[in-house]
Amino acid sequence: MGIFSNSEKLLSLQDLLHYELRDLYSGETQLIEALPKMEEAASHPQLKEAFKMHLNETRAQRERLDEIGRLLDIDMKGEKCEAMAGLVKEGSEIIKSKSTPEVRDAGLIGAAQRVEHYEIAGYGTARNFAEQLGLTQVVALLTETENEEKMTDEKLNRLAKETINLSAKTAHANE
Ligand code: FE
Ligand code: FE
Ligand code: FE
């Protein structure tokens, strides 16, 4: 969240919901840039595929936020999610590191799961506010995305535990 540097006015729960939605919008926008780089850096075909699929979902998620913007008649742009910028930066550190493909894959999953957890928290917060405000359509759209983020997190977790972490443990670089 951009910490009040632009003296955000948050005088009602509605203001706060709009602020949270803009933050989510910024996050999804940053991920549309970052996920292709994650996909490119990944080696395991299933991990590549997972990033590719989530890029498509992420584009649809931003469209859902655009739809929410139309429903609420608000501009979704103008906020920068600093936390997502930090998480993306940590992911790019893994990408740039001198690493074996197997270890890099395990690191990429760790970075990606942090992102999903952050998104789950953000969508959950926004959904709760929208519920409190009786915004049924907004709640439905936010829930749809929240469920996709949860499924992505679970998929990555399974991939790490069933495949990638073991490969990372057993593969050694020839030094
Ligand atoms: Fe944020
Ligand atoms: Fe997302
Ligand atoms: Fe996501």
Side-chain angles (χ1 to χ4, degrees), residues 83-139:
M84 190 62 83
L87 291 172
V88 167
K89 198 172 165 211
E90 289 192 2
S92 73
E93 278 172 20
I94 301 282
I95 293 173
K96 285 184 285 186
S97 64
K98 182 172 180 276
S99 50
T100 68
E102 293 84 0
V103 171
R104 188 161 56 249
D105 278 357
L108 289 171
I109 291 186
Q113 281 191 280
R114 280 178 173 79
V115 167
E116 297 314 312
H117 280 241
Y118 180 70
E119 292 189 290
I120 290 163
Y123 275 100
T125 297
R127 175 184 39 76
N128 287 344
F129 292 163
E131 263 172 23
Q132 190 62 239
L133 293 165
L135 301 167
T136 317
Q137 279 175 283
V138 175
V139 170

Side-chain angles (χ1 to χ4, degrees), residues 28 31 54 58 61 116 119 123 145 149:
E28 300 296 12
L31 291 171
H54 200 51
T58 299
Q61 291 170 355
E116 297 314 312
E119 292 189 290
Y123 275 100
T145 295
E149 311 293 25

